[in-house]
Amino acid sequence: MLAVDPGREKSGIAVCRPGDVLAHRVIPADALADVVHDWVATYRVEAIVVGNSTGAADARRRLAGCAVPVVSVDERGTTLLARARYFRDHPPRGWRRLIPRSLLVPPEPYDDYAAILLGEAYLQARSKAPLD
């Protein structure tokens, strides 16, 4: 499953499967369709999950030609959770470690972490859904 945290200028993308993140990256918004097309083929993606906030309409338009289903999901709260996840994977060093993490801003874009969270939430919800 490929998750997209869309934005106006950049998007976070991540390929997830239950219990694992295979790849993640922050890319320019205008490169979304090309990168997603490549990752769909490389990782044999079966679904694309797109956050429904900033840049969602443009991202869905760019992904309209994909050969796999595109699903919109609620992305409320993912930015703060993504920041925490980023610092879990990249703990602050030096004097920055003395500042509460809630006051720190990552030194690089972390939209890919929001995409990871979207993907994990989608997979978790799907695993709890009743079978038809």
Side-chain angles (χ1 to χ4, degrees):
M1 189 274 317
L2 190 145
V4 178
D5 176 43
R8 287 185 188 97
E9 300 198 12
K10 62 188 180 328
S11 294
I13 59 172
V15 176
C16 305
R17 64 179 178 204
D20 199 11
V21 177
L22 302 176
H24 59 98
R25 187 181 338 163
V26 177
I27 60 171
D30 60 356
L32 181 64
D34 292 334
V35 175
V36 166
H37 177 73
D38 290 345
W39 283 24
V40 164
T42 301
Y43 295 102
R44 292 185 279 175
V45 170
E46 296 176 4
I48 299 172
V49 175
V50 179
N52 65 351
S53 195
T54 306
D58 187 47
R60 288 185 61 84
R61 182 183 55 75
R62 291 176 191 269
L63 299 174
C66 286
V68 296
V70 178
V71 179
S72 288
V73 295
D74 185 13
E75 65 174 282
R76 272 181 290 169
T78 56
T79 300
L80 289 176
L81 294 172
R83 183 187 312 187
R85 179 81 170 258
Y86 175 90
F87 283 122
R88 187 191 80 187
D89 290 355
H90 306 280
R93 294 184 170 175
W95 63 269
R96 290 176 56 94
R97 75 182 193 290
L98 302 174
I99 298 173
R101 290 185 183 179
S102 62
L103 298 176
L104 290 174
V105 176
E108 59 190 352
Y110 56 99
D111 306 71
D112 52 336
Y113 282 87
I116 291 168
L117 293 168
L118 291 173
E120 289 174 345
Y122 175 80
L123 290 171
Q124 184 178 9
R126 196 176 81 173
S127 70
K128 292 181 179 180
L131 297 174
D132 291 330

